[in-house]
Amino acid sequence: MPFAPSSMQVESTAFTPNGAIPKRHSAEGDDVSPALSWKDAPAGTKGFAVICHDPDAPLVKDGSYGYVHWLLYNLPADVTSLEEGSKTGTAGINDGGAIGYGGPMPPEGHGTHQYYFWVLALDTQTELPEGLTQPELLNKLEPHILGMNRLVGTYRRD
């Protein structure tokens, strides 16, 4: 993923930075996406995308590492929060092969994993089709990324 750090702040009412993600938001629980919000987007932002990625997952796919849990895009600039289980925007395909959010669930005995909820600020409002993979999405978004930041949560399988 390209890297364009910014002063944008990302938070959730479900967990604190580097805190435990509640079971409700995991594949062991209700598998519903957590609420997210962000502020201080770079000047000129016209759209957003959200990517949830687990870099600790022992998976190499398409030349990349980790596991993609959520791709959400086509979010206009006036959307700066997502409610729990949000259906706002357009969903891509996660590494589980499903459209939309797939919650944390590290392999048994694999310990605690970190989950990066990235928010990407874009210089354009996108109109991309549903079901893009992470490489496809990043290929489309990379020229338009003004800035990005993340909220990291953790999850350990019961």
Side-chain angles (χ1 to χ4, degrees):
M1 180 159 55
F3 193 67
S6 76
S7 60
M8 199 167 37
Q9 296 173 42
V10 184
E11 57 189 14
S12 176
T13 55
F15 59 96
T16 59
N18 299 307
I21 298 169
K23 187 174 186 175
R24 171 172 175 66
H25 303 292
S26 78
E28 292 184 290
D30 296 330
D31 209 13
V32 10
S33 62
L36 292 176
S37 63
W38 52 93
K39 60 184 177 184
D40 300 331
T45 297
K46 295 186 176 142
F48 294 102
V50 174
I51 297 174
C52 178
H53 179 255
D54 171 5
D56 299 320
L59 176 68
V60 176
K61 181 180 176 186
D62 298 324
S64 185
Y65 67 95
Y67 190 98
V68 175
H69 286 268
W70 194 22
L71 300 170
L72 191 65
Y73 43 94
N74 298 340
L75 299 169
D78 62 351
V79 172
T80 57
S81 65
L82 299 169
E83 62 189 29
E84 179 180 271
S86 179
K87 300 299 181 201
T88 302
T90 303
I93 190 165
N94 62 45
D95 281 343
I99 299 286
Y101 179 80
M105 189 148 125
E108 276 191 53
H110 212 256
T112 302
H113 281 211
Q114 296 181 64
Y115 296 84
Y116 289 64
F117 288 83
W118 288 98
V119 176
L120 287 65
L122 309 171
D123 68 2
T124 188
Q125 166 61 56
T126 58
E127 294 183 20
L128 301 170
E130 180 180 76
L132 295 179
T133 63
Q134 180 175 307
E136 292 169 336
L137 179 62
L138 290 175
N139 184 52
K140 299 285 187 188
L141 297 183
E142 189 170 18
H144 302 288
I145 298 174
L146 293 173
M148 59 200 295
N149 215 329
R150 69 185 185 213
L151 171 65
V152 179
T154 63
Y155 191 80
R156 181 181 186 96
R157 190 169 177 178
D158 285 342

